C-alpha cells in the first residue's frame, strides 16, 4: 500500500516541477506575437485533473518569480502580484467554468474544434483584458494607441500560442498516432516540410514580393498535412512552420513585420485545423460505412445461405411428397384397382344366376357402382401422380392429356404454344409445371367461367442453366376480392414455385387471370447442355 501511495503523493509535485521547467524554457523564447507559454498553460490546465491544478499553478508562479528575480525586475513583489499572478488565475477560472460546461479536449470533428477554439478565444480575451487593466495599474496612464497595441499583441500572441501547443498536447496525451500514421508523418515531413522550409529560407533573403511569397508557401504544407493526416498533421505542421518563420525572422536581414506573419499563421492555422478535423471525421465516417457494409454483406451472405437451405428443404419436402404420391398411386392401382376388376368379373360371372333369381336390377346397380368407383379411382390416381406425364411426356401431356379433356368438357377453347425439350428439366420441375397448368385449368373451369384458356411454355438453356418460362391466361372473370389460400389453391401453387427457387407472378384483371412462372435448374446440367447442343 505504501509503495503505491507514495508515487501518487509525488505525482502532483513532479508534474508541477516538470511543467515549471517547460514553462521557463518557453518563456525564454517567447515573442510578443508568439506566446507559447500561454498555449502551454491553456493546454495543460485543459488536460490535467483539477486535483493537480494547485501544483501546476504553483510551479508556474514559482518559475515566474524566479525569472523576475533573475532579471532584477524593479517592483519585484508588485510585478509578481499584479503582473505574474492575475493571468494564470484568469485562465484557470475560465477553464474551470468551461470544463464545468462540458468542454472536452477533443479535435475529432469540426464541432469539437470550433468549441475548443471559441473557448480558447474567450480565455485569451479575458486574460488580455486582465493584462491591460494591470498595465494601467502598474504604469502611468498609457495612451490609447499604446493600449490598443498591447492588446493586439497579447490577443494575437496568446491565441497563436494556444493554437500551436494545445493540439499537440491533446495528441500526445489523449490521441497518440498509430505507428503507421507516425511513419507517414515522418516520411511526409522529410519529403514535403523540409523542402518547404529550405525554400522559405532561400526566398526570405530576397526582397518583396519573393519574401511574402515564401511565407505563404511555408503554410502550403500545413494544408497538405491537414488533407493527408487530419488534425494531427495540421497541428504538427503549424508548429514546424511557425518555428521556421521564427528562425527566418531571427537570422535574415529582411525580416518582415512579425504581426502580419503571425496573424496570417493564426488565420491559416485555424482553417487548417478545421480542415484536418473534417478530413478525420470524413475518414471515420467512411470507415464506419465500410465496416457496416462488410457486416451487411456478411449478413446477406448468411441470409442467402439460409434461404438456400430453406429452398433445399422445401424442395426435399416436395420431392418426398411426390415420392409418397407415386407410392400411394402404385398401391391403389395395384390393390384397389385389381380388387375392383375382380369384383366386376365375379358379378359378370354371376349375372345369369342373378337374372334367374330376379336380381337383374341389383346386378346393374352393382355394375354402375363399380364403374363409378373405377372412374373415381382413376381421377384420384391422376391427382396423386398423373400417369399421362410418365407415359406421354410433359409436352404431349399438356397438349393432349386430361387437361384438354377437362377444358373440352367445360366447352372452353384450349390454345397451346409449347417449345423446348422437357428432358432438359429435372423431374420435380416437370411435375411442378404440369400441376401448375392442371390447377390453373381447374380454377378456370370452376371459378372463372372463361371461354378460352391459353398456355405457352418455353424451355431453353442460358449460361449452362435450364430455364422454363410458363405463361397461362384465361378470359374469365378474374380473381375474387378475397382469395382463400388452401393447400391446392393459389397459395399452394405459389409455395410449390417458391420451393423450387422460381418466380411466381399472378395478375388479375377484368379480362381474366395472367400467370407467369419462371423455373430454373438448381445446378448446371452438363447433360442438358449436350441435349440442347448436340454434336
Amino acid at each position: 500500500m505504501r509503495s503505491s501511495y507514495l508515487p501518487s503523493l509525488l505525482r502532483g509535485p513532479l508534474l508541477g516541477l516538470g511543467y515549471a521547467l517547460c514553462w521557463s524554457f518557453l518563456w525564454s523564447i517567447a515573442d510578443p506575437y508568439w506566446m507559447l507559454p500561454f498555449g502551454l498553460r491553456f493546454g495543460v490546465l485543459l488536460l490535467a485533473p483539477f486535483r493537480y491544478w494547485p501544483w501546476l499553478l504553483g510551479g508556474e508562479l514559482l518559475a515566474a518569480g524566479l525569472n523576475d528575480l533573475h532579471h532584477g525586475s524593479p517592483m519585484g513583489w508588485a510585478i509578481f502580484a499584479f503582473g505574474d499572478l492575475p493571468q494564470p488565475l484568469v485562465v484557470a477560472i475560465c477553464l474551470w467554468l468551461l470544463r464545468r460546461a462540458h468542454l472536452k479536449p477533443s479535435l475529432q470533428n469540426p464541432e469539437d474544434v470550433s468549441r475548443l477554439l471559441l473557448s480558447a478565444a474567450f480565455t485569451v480575451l479575458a486574460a488580455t483584458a486582465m493584462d491591460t487593466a494591470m498595465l494601467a495599474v502598474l504604469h502611468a496612464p498609457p495612451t490609447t494607441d499604446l493600449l490598443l497595441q498591447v492588446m493586439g499583441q497579447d490577443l494575437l500572441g496568446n491565441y497563436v500560442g494556444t493554437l500551436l501547443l494545445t493540439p499537440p498536447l491533446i495528441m500526445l496525451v489523449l490521441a497518440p498516432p498509430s505507428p503507421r500514421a507516425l511513419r507517414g508523418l515522418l516520411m511526409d515531413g522529410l519529403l514535403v516540410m523540409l523542402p518547404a522550409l529550405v525554400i522559405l529560407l532561400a526566398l526570405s533573403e530576397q526582397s518583396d514580393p519573393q519574401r511574402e511569397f515564401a511565407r505563404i508557401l511555408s503554410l502550403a504544407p500545413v494544408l497538405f498535412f491537414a488533407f493527408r493526416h487530419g488534425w494531427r498533421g495540421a497541428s504538427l505542421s503549424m508548429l514546424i512552420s511557425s518555428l521556421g518563420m521564427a528562425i527566418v525572422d531571427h537570422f535574415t536581414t529582411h525580416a518582415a513585420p512579425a504581426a502580419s506573419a503571425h496573424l496570417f499563421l493564426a488565420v491559416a492555422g485555424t482553417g487548417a485545423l478545421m480542415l484536418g478535423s473534417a478530413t478525420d471525421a470524413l475518414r471515420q465516417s467512411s470507415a464506419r460505412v465500410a465496416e457496416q457494409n462488410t457486416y451487411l454483406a456478411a449478413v446477406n451472405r448468411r441470409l442467402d445461405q439460409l434461404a438456400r437451405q430453406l429452398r433445399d428443404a422445401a424442395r426435399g419436402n416436395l420431392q418426398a411428397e411426390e415420392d409418397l404420391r407415386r407410392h400411394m398411386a402404385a398401391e391403389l392401382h395395384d390393390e384397389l384397382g385389381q380388387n375392383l376388376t375382380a369384383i366386376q368379373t365375379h358379378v359378370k360371372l354371376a349375372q345369369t344366376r342373378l337374372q334367374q333369381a330376379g336380381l337383374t336390377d341389383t346386378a346393374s346397380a352393382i355394375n354402375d357402382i363399380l364403374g363409378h368407383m373405377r372412374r373415381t379411382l382413376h381421377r384420384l390416381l391422376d391427382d396423386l401422380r398423373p400417369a399421362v406425364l410418365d407415359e406421354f411426356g410433359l409436352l404431349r401431356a399438356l397438349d393432349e392429356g386430361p387437361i384438354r379433356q377437362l377444358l373440352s368438357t367445360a366447352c372452353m377453347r384450349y390454345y397451346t404454344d409449347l417449345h423446348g425439350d422437357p428432358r432438359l428439366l429435372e423431374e420435380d420441375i416437370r411435375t411442378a409445371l404440369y400441376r401448375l397448368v392442371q390447377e390453373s385449368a381447374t380454377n378456370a373451369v370452376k371459378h372463372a367461367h372463361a371461354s378460352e384458356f391459353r398456355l405457352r411454355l418455353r424451355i431453353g438453356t442460358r449460361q449452362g442453366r435450364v430455364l422454363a418460362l410458363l405463361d397461362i391466361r384465361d378470359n374469365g372473370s378474374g380473381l375474387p376480392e378475397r382469395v382463400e389460400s388452401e393447400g391446392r389453391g393459389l397459395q399452394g401453387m405459389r409455395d410449390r414455385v417458391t420451393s423450387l427457387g422460381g418466380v411466381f407472378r399472378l395478375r388479375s384483371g377484368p379480362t381474366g387471370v395472367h400467370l407467369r412462372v419462371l423455373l430454373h435448374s438448381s445446378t448446371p446440367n452438363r447433360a442438358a447442355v449436350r441435349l440442347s447442343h448436340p454434336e
Side-chain angles (χ1 to χ4, degrees), residues 403-404 407-408 410-416 440-441 443-445 448-455 472-478 511-514:
I403 296 177
R404 180 174 292 276
L407 297 173
S408 298
C411 299
M412 293 177 59
R413 294 183 298 274
Y414 184 35
Y415 301 98
T416 59
S440 299
N443 291 336
V445 171
H449 307 291
S451 61
E452 65 179 34
F453 187 88
R454 295 183 178 272
L455 168 64
I472 301 174
R473 303 168 187 251
D474 65 57
N475 62 348
S477 58
T511 59
V513 175
H514 182 197

Side-chain angles (χ1 to χ4, degrees), residues 45 47-55 92 95-97 99-100:
L45 293 181
L47 294 170
F50 288 124
R51 63 179 180 274
Y52 296 132
W53 278 24
W55 295 104
L95 278 175
W96 183 82
L97 293 174
R99 290 182 62 173
R100 295 287 292 181

Side-chain angles (χ1 to χ4, degrees), residues 454-457 469-473 514-517:
R454 295 183 178 272
L455 168 64
R456 187 178 66 172
L457 177 62
L469 178 61
L470 179 65
D471 187 283
I472 301 174
R473 303 168 187 251
H514 182 197
L515 173 64
R516 289 177 64 87
V517 174

Side-chain angles (χ1 to χ4, degrees), residues 107-153:
L107 299 171
Q108 297 298 325
N109 52 67
E111 292 78 10
D112 292 342
V113 175
S114 301
R115 192 177 298 110
L116 184 61
L117 293 181
L118 288 176
S119 301
F122 169 74
T123 306
V124 167
L125 183 61
T128 302
M130 178 59 69
D131 288 345
T132 305
M134 293 299 102
L135 178 65
V137 171
L138 290 177
H139 299 280
T143 62
T144 303
D145 293 339
L146 179 60
L147 283 177
L148 292 177
Q149 181 181 0
V150 172
M151 287 186 64
Q153 290 179 357

Side-chain angles (χ1 to χ4, degrees), residues 4 101 143 172 217-218 462 481 506:
S4 61
T143 62
L172 292 175
L217 183 63
S218 66
R462 178 176 296 178
E481 296 181 358
L506 181 65

Side-chain angles (χ1 to χ4, degrees), residues 427-451:
E427 182 180 359
D428 52 355
I429 295 181
R430 294 197 299 268
T431 304
L433 290 171
Y434 182 83
R435 292 198 180 278
L436 289 171
V437 178
Q438 186 182 40
E439 183 66 25
S440 299
T442 303
N443 291 336
V445 171
K446 291 183 178 180
H447 307 293
H449 307 291
S451 61

